[in-house]
Amino acid sequence: DLTLPYDHCKSHSHFVDPALLAAHAKELPACPAPSYEAAGGACIDDVSFLNASRSYLTRSECRTYTGPAVENTRRVYTLLGQPQNGSEYIDNCRADGTTRVKKLQFAHETTRRCLSHVFGRLAAPVISGLFNPLSLFAFDQTPFLASADAGFAPFGIMYVPRRCRRTLSPPCRLFFKFQACGAPPLAP
C-alpha cells in the first residue's frame, strides 16, 4: 500500500527533494515495450517526452496538498527537460488553507485555461453550452493501473464528440482531466 508515502509527500512537501527525484528518474531505464507490464515493471516511460510537452497544474485541495506540493511536481518536470514555458500552475489556495474562488467556478475556469495552454488558441464552441450525454463512454481503466491501491475507480469516462468518431474526419486531439479527490465521477 503506497498511500502513506504518497500522503506524506503531499502534506509534508518540504521533505521532498525535486532534484533527487528527477535524478533517480533519469537513472531508470525507459520501457522498450508499449506497456509497463510487458517490460516486467522494471522501467518507466521515457522522460525525454517532457522536452516538447506542455502541462497544466492546479491546486484547490487546500488542506490536502499543503505548501509547495504541486510546485514540486512542476519543478521535477522542469528538471526532467520540460521547458519553463511548458508548464502553467494556478493555485486556488490562500495561506490559511481556504480557497480563493468557489471550487465549481475554479474547475470551469481552470479547464478553459488548461485547454488553451496545452492546445493554444481555441476556436469558439460550435454550440455553446450544449453537452451531449450520448458522447460519454465508460471504459475499463484497470489495465492501465500498476496497483488497485492507486485510488482510481475501475472505470473511466471519456467524452468523444461525434465528429471525432468518424473515420474519415481529421484526427481529434486528446485531453486528460483527472478528477479531484472525492469528486463525483461526472464532475466537471
Side-chain angles (χ1 to χ4, degrees):
D1 183 8
L2 298 177
T3 302
L4 282 177
Y6 172 71
D7 284 347
H8 188 73
C9 290
K10 70 182 183 182
S11 55
H12 299 287
S13 55
H14 53 285
F15 294 146
V16 177
D17 182 349
L20 187 61
L21 285 174
H24 283 302
K26 288 178 180 178
E27 291 172 3
L28 293 170
C31 293
S35 75
Y36 178 79
E37 291 81 17
C43 60
I44 62 171
D45 288 341
D46 187 349
V47 297
S48 67
F49 83 92
L50 286 165
N51 296 342
S53 70
R54 299 178 72 71
S55 62
Y56 184 86
L57 305 166
T58 63
R59 180 173 77 122
S60 63
E61 297 287 334
C62 304
R63 298 189 190 283
T64 304
Y65 293 88
T66 59
V70 180
E71 291 171 11
N72 284 344
T73 301
R74 185 180 191 190
R75 179 76 180 129
V76 169
Y77 288 174
T78 301
L79 291 167
L80 290 174
Q82 186 175 56
Q84 287 286 346
N85 66 350
S87 72
E88 185 173 340
Y89 171 56
I90 305 299
D91 194 342
N92 190 34
C93 301
R94 294 187 179 105
D96 66 359
T98 60
T99 57
R100 299 177 200 280
V101 181
K102 291 180 182 176
K103 283 192 180 184
L104 186 59
Q105 178 185 351
F106 184 72
H108 288 296
E109 175 61 16
T110 56
T111 298
R112 184 192 64 75
R113 287 181 68 168
C114 175
L115 289 170
S116 180
H117 175 72
V118 172
F119 294 124
R121 187 177 171 98
L122 301 174
V126 176
I127 302 174
S128 181
L130 181 63
F131 173 75
N132 183 353
L134 297 176
S135 291
L136 282 176
F137 301 93
F139 68 95
D140 178 9
Q141 64 184 14
T142 57
F144 307 102
L145 304 175
S147 167
D149 296 326
F152 285 86
F155 69 93
I157 297 173
M158 63 180 152
Y159 182 78
V160 184
R162 184 182 308 192
R163 72 174 184 81
C164 297
R165 295 192 302 262
R166 294 186 201 126
T167 57
L168 298 177
S169 67
C172 296
R173 294 193 263 181
L174 182 63
F175 169 69
F176 289 95
K177 182 173 189 265
F178 294 101
Q179 292 301 109
C181 297
L186 294 176

